[in-house]
Amino acid sequence: MRDLRASTVLAAVALFIVIGGTATAASGLISGSKIKPGTIAAKQIKNKTITKEKLAPATVKSLKGAAGPAGPAGADGVRGATGSAGTNGADGSPGTTGATGPAGTNGTTGATGSTGATGPAAVGSFDPYHLELAYAALPADTQTTLITLDIPAGTYMVTAKANLTSNYAGGNNFMQCAIWFDEISAVDEAQVDLAFNETANVSMAAVAELSDTADLRCTATDGIGNANNLKLFAVPVQ
């Protein structure tokens, strides 16, 4: 009896079940309380006969395995159609003014321009013709030539000045001086009416054409007199 094989034992059990099946059916179904724990092995249960609904929730939960690794990324889908253009956004507020940049370097010096044409000679760029006389007596009622300039023909600006003094004790003395051109005509004159020993300064100026001379002439009409600090200038006019 000690040398019985497992297959022999199982065969005897099966035969017991067959023989006693009718009696068991007669006595009712086998309940869980009639099954000794650990007596039914997994290989004795028919495949796919125990569903999830027959198991306790905790048992179902314990049967859940750990999450598997992530699968490979799927291929890119087909590109969708381009959407319509959106409306323009509102203008942003102006930004703050940036700092002034550094000054740029000086540019290269340009080429020297060509020399311009020579301009006309300036008036007064040379000494004018002139003469001076310190003192001259003037007889009564006589025109006296006091200064004469001999100059080339042309157009000149001529100026003259003199201090006139009356030496006539009998009353006022009408006195005058004038600039003459070419001993023909007076081009400007100055007149004063002086009492005895009274002095006056007179001046004259004129622009005119002349051929060879410019004179300063003075007259004491009512009585004798004198002239001093006399000057006569002639400047060519271009």
Side-chain angles (χ1 to χ4, degrees):
M1 293 296 287
R2 294 178 179 177
D3 297 330
L4 292 178
R5 296 180 179 179
S7 58
T8 302
V9 175
L10 291 176
V13 172
L15 178 61
F16 173 78
I17 293 172
V18 171
I19 295 173
T22 302
T24 301
S27 62
L29 296 175
I30 298 173
S31 64
S33 61
K34 297 179 179 180
I35 299 174
K36 185 178 181 179
T39 58
I40 298 177
K43 65 181 179 178
Q44 294 171 329
I45 301 174
K46 185 178 180 181
N47 291 339
K48 301 180 181 181
T49 58
I50 300 177
T51 62
K52 184 176 68 173
E53 287 75 11
K54 301 296 183 178
L55 301 176
T59 302
V60 175
K61 185 176 181 179
S62 66
L63 296 176
K64 185 176 181 180
D76 293 340
V78 178
R79 182 174 181 177
T82 302
S84 58
T87 58
N88 293 333
D91 293 339
S93 57
T96 57
T97 302
T100 302
T105 56
N106 293 332
T108 56
T109 303
T112 302
S114 57
T115 302
T118 301
V123 175
S125 59
F126 53 89
D127 290 337
Y129 299 98
H130 74 285
L131 286 174
E132 298 182 13
L133 180 63
Y135 177 86
L138 298 177
D141 198 24
T142 302
Q143 186 182 73
T144 304
T145 300
L146 303 177
I147 300 176
T148 298
L149 291 176
D150 293 319
I151 50 180
T155 301
Y156 291 85
M157 181 178 69
V158 180
T159 61
K161 62 176 294 187
N163 292 327
L164 299 178
T165 302
S166 173
N167 300 130
Y168 175 57
N172 286 351
N173 193 357
F174 183 76
M175 304 180 71
Q176 64 179 359
C177 290
I179 297 173
W180 283 63
F181 278 1
D182 298 327
E183 300 182 357
I184 297 175
S185 61
V187 292
D188 192 28
E189 64 180 20
Q191 303 172 345
V192 290
D193 193 14
L194 301 176
F196 177 60
N197 285 338
E198 185 180 2
T199 300
N201 178 267
V202 295
S203 60
M204 297 137 279
V207 176
E209 294 184 0
L210 57 81
S211 298
D212 55 7
T213 61
D215 298 331
L216 175 58
R217 303 181 183 186
C218 296
T219 304
T221 303
D222 299 303
I224 60 173
N226 69 79
N228 62 80
N229 196 24
L230 299 98
K231 298 179 181 179
L232 181 62
F233 293 84
V235 180
V237 177
Q238 301 294 328

